[in-house]
Amino acid sequence: MMVNGGKLKKEEILDRIKALEGLSQLLDPDKTERAKMSHQMLSHAEAFLEGLGEGLTYTPPPDGFNPQFPIEENPASIQSILELVKDQVEAIGINPASGGHLGYIPGGGLVPSAWGDFLADISNRYVGIHFASPGGVTLENTMIRWLCDIVGYDRESGGTLTSGGSLAILTAVVNARDAHNIRAAEIPQTVIYLTAQTHHCAHKALQIAGLRECLIREVPMSEFKMDSHSLREVISEDLANGLKPFMVMASAGTTEAGVVDPLLEIGKIAREFNLWYHIDAAYGGFFLLTDYGKQVLKGINQADSVIIDPHKGLFLPYGSGALLVKNAAKLYQSQHYFANYMQDAIHSSPETSPADLSPELSRHFRGMRMWVPLRLFGVAPFRAALEEKLWLARYFYIRLSQENDFELGPYPELSVTFFRYKPPWGHWDAINRKLINAIQEDGRVFFSSTTLNGKFYLRLAVLNFRTHLKQIDLALEILMEKTKLMGED
Ligand SMILES: *Cc1c(COP(=O)(O)O)cnc(C)c1O
């Protein structure tokens, strides 16, 4: 048989097409089929959500756990798919949808975001360029505008919705590199300032952006925050040595300790020395929706670039970050590109096209999963939830400070704190390692741990929208229960 059918007659070609159509149409189930599958899908989702109340937050994989996701020529039922997902994905590991998730930085999972994704996926609108979906692009840009307003940026600002903070910071670093015209030959004299508490995604971004040979200065800290006097000193010293200070990266809510660098002072220094000022607000940014957060994050609008994660503080499901920049024109210069096959798209349009502000061309219609819950619930419950999380972290701290034998970190500035059990006996690092293992084995709540100044600590991070007083009380109860069980051995 000829592979491309070049010698077949028209009738024979038509026969082939018709034979294939029968099978290929299986990709597009009809109304009755869809109704059946949608029903099964929704029942599954409901059972999952209803199970959250009493369910575990962490379940270690059982011995011999070996998940399999077969792909075969023949179809399988939706029921068999849902069973596999339930047993092999949903039942094992950390359950980020649970209000007991108090580790790392908890993610969200608002149900209406899933509906937003559903709408975006069914219509499959392409929102990279305005020409393709004027409405969809306006929705994306409206989300960016809303985020820029939260940060306090003016009309020159802009940005892009990304898959998360890591891709957002990578785009920020590339924007900074291009805006300051850092050329290859200068990289070894170019200096970047951050702290030992800067999230590791910043280092990854610098590496990927071709800046791994820059000089990276870890500025000294006090109370886990960048010391602005030291920053000024280090910059002056670098200048005196003929180096080229380029960028300072501050944190508006560090992952480990949940604290905010002195944003205003760093901003002053950045301006004085003409540095690109980047602020990582991936975790802390949405506290700007609260009055308290506005005070603590004062100065964030001085930044040239900010990253903020809607899949953290706006409680969206994973896959939602954002880069915001003070000057959208500079981001455009760094990211846009022209190709002949895109010529239809280059109509002068009232809206910037997301593809011109991002490395992505084809992309997920991310704005929909953000707008649907915001519109549906209104902003007020988000503000309330964020303020509630701040109070819950403080409440946890106060309660723990009333217990004997706990060493506490600083009073939570946002919704993260760290602590360790410190009975009069024993080796404390080992005791706390044992304690975290016992809590994770129990599984009703999930804490994570970290090492700070060489010591082993447990960490509490309150940011899941399903975390309320009940879960914090349970966490305290479990903590007391497990410490009592730990004898001197
Ligand atoms: C989570 C986090 C990041 C990384 O963001 P991803 O969305 O996980 O890629 C960066 N910085 C801080 C402070 C974070 O909390």
Side-chain angles (χ1 to χ4, degrees):
M1 193 185 89
M2 300 196 59
V3 175
N4 67 0
K7 289 282 157 61
L8 291 183
K9 296 202 174 57
K10 190 180 87 185
E11 288 69 28
E12 293 169 306
I13 289 180
L14 282 173
D15 287 345
R16 294 269 160 109
I17 289 174
K18 282 176 192 157
L20 289 168
E21 197 175 276
L23 200 53
S24 78
Q25 272 178 339
L26 291 178
L27 296 177
D28 196 12
D30 66 14
K31 194 175 168 190
T32 323
E33 276 298 304
R34 285 200 302 272
K36 263 197 296 197
M37 292 199 256
S38 301
H39 176 73
Q40 285 169 298
M41 209 66 201
L42 284 180
S43 311
H44 175 92
E46 271 309 313
F48 174 84
L49 292 171
E50 283 303 305
L52 284 175
E54 302 309 315
L56 294 177
T57 301
Y58 178 64
T59 311
D63 285 344
F65 181 63
N66 179 22
Q68 305 276 332
F69 301 92
I71 297 176
E72 292 164 3
E73 276 298 296
N74 294 320
S77 69
I78 194 105
Q79 207 51 46
S80 71
I81 292 170
L82 294 174
E83 274 162 26
L84 273 190
V85 169
K86 183 175 175 210
D87 297 344
Q88 304 191 9
V89 181
E90 291 171 358
I92 310 296
I94 300 171
N95 183 358
S98 160
H101 187 2
L102 306 168
Y104 308 111
I105 302 292
L110 293 173
V111 174
S113 282
W115 301 338
D117 279 342
F118 187 76
L119 291 176
D121 293 355
I122 292 290
S123 72
N124 198 28
R125 285 296 155 145
Y126 172 64
V127 296
I129 52 174
H130 184 263
F131 170 72
S133 179
V137 164
T138 304
L139 194 159
E140 295 279 299
N141 289 352
T142 306
M143 296 307 103
I144 288 290
R145 186 83 264 137
W146 186 72
L147 293 171
C148 285
D149 288 347
I150 289 178
V151 162
Y153 273 161
D154 66 21
R155 293 279 131 183
E156 307 253 289
S157 63
T160 176
L161 297 177
T162 67
S163 58
S166 300
L167 264 289
I169 194 174
L170 174 58
T171 313
V173 164
V174 168
N175 187 181
R177 183 197 66 193
D178 294 349
H180 279 236
N181 197 21
I182 306 291
R183 307 175 75 88
E186 302 158 354
I187 288 177
Q189 294 87 48
T190 298
V191 199
I192 294 161
Y193 304 89
L194 36 70
T195 72
Q197 287 290 308
T198 302
H199 194 281
H200 75 272
C201 71
H203 294 274
K204 253 171 101 167
L206 293 170
Q207 290 195 11
I208 299 169
L211 299 173
R212 70 170 76 215
E213 289 156 34
C214 283
L215 296 159
I216 297 181
R217 301 263 186 261
E218 283 190 357
V219 179
M221 298 179 290
S222 61
E223 300 274 300
F224 303 100
K225 299 179 185 191
M226 185 182 285
D227 182 83
S228 54
H229 300 292
S230 303
L231 173 64
R232 182 185 293 278
E233 271 170 31
V234 188
I235 295 171
S236 306
E237 213 170 284
D238 284 341
L239 280 171
N241 289 324
L243 299 173
K244 192 175 177 229
F246 156 47
M247 169 160 60
V248 57
M249 302 175 110
S251 304
T254 57
T255 304
E256 218 151 44
V259 297
V260 181
D261 285 330
L263 303 182
L264 272 173
E265 285 90 80
I266 297 171
K268 265 184 225 139
I269 296 169
R271 257 199 318 283
E272 186 181 330
F273 293 99
N274 188 30
L275 305 186
W276 183 274
Y277 186 17
H278 174 77
I279 295 181
D280 179 348
Y283 153 59
F286 283 103
F287 288 109
L288 283 164
L289 288 172
T290 70
D291 290 338
Y292 171 80
K294 285 189 192 101
Q295 291 308 311
V296 177
L297 302 187
K298 212 175 206 126
I300 191 169
N301 63 347
Q302 307 286 300
D304 294 293
S305 56
V306 171
I307 65 165
I308 186 165
D309 263 359
H311 65 203
K312 289 176 179 165
L314 208 59
F315 318 124
L316 264 52
Y318 288 123
S320 282
L323 164 66
L324 309 173
V325 293
K326 185 189 260 173
N327 185 328
K330 285 186 190 165
L331 180 59
Y332 179 87
Q333 280 155 20
S334 166
Q335 297 293 324
H336 90 286
Y337 217 89
F338 176 76
N340 285 335
Y341 53 81
M342 297 282 291
Q343 60 191 12
D344 294 341
I346 313 297
H347 291 303
S348 60
S349 85
E351 290 278 342
T352 314
S353 289
D356 286 331
L357 299 178
S358 150
E360 292 180 292
L361 182 57
S362 300
R363 56 203 288 283
H364 178 55
F365 186 177
R366 298 187 179 107
M368 194 67 103
R369 48 158 50 200
M370 181 168 155
W371 179 67
V372 170
L374 280 170
R375 182 68 182 141
L376 186 69
F377 297 137
V379 180
F382 289 89
R383 272 188 226 288
L386 285 156
E387 196 178 335
E388 179 198 22
K389 306 316 159 210
L390 294 168
W391 287 113
L392 287 173
R394 295 166 190 160
Y395 167 78
F396 177 91
Y397 187 92
I398 303 268
R399 283 279 313 269
L400 204 59
S401 69
Q402 289 162 354
E403 299 291 338
N404 290 326
D405 299 338
F406 277 93
E407 177 195 323
L408 278 75
Y411 185 79
E413 189 163 28
L414 296 174
S415 68
V416 170
T417 189
F418 55 88
F419 57 93
R420 59 196 211 133
Y421 182 45
K422 219 171 153 188
W425 45 268
H427 185 274
W428 293 316
D429 279 0
I431 288 171
N432 282 280
R433 198 168 285 122
K434 235 173 100 179
L435 179 58
I436 191 87
N437 288 342
I439 294 168
Q440 292 183 355
E441 216 166 278
D442 177 283
R444 282 175 291 165
V445 298
F446 183 84
F447 285 101
S448 55
S449 71
T450 189
T451 300
L452 283 159
N453 299 333
K455 295 180 196 162
F456 193 98
Y457 285 95
L458 273 61
R459 254 181 92 258
L460 166 99
V462 190
L463 202 61
N464 186 292
F465 68 103
R466 293 193 176 101
T467 303
H468 304 291
L469 190 56
K470 182 178 161 195
Q471 282 77 19
I472 298 297
D473 279 336
L474 176 66
L476 284 159
E477 193 184 301
I478 292 171
L479 205 51
M480 296 313 135
E481 182 187 309
K482 300 300 170 197
T483 48
K484 285 210 183 71
L485 289 177
M486 280 202 294
E488 304 176 43
D489 58 15

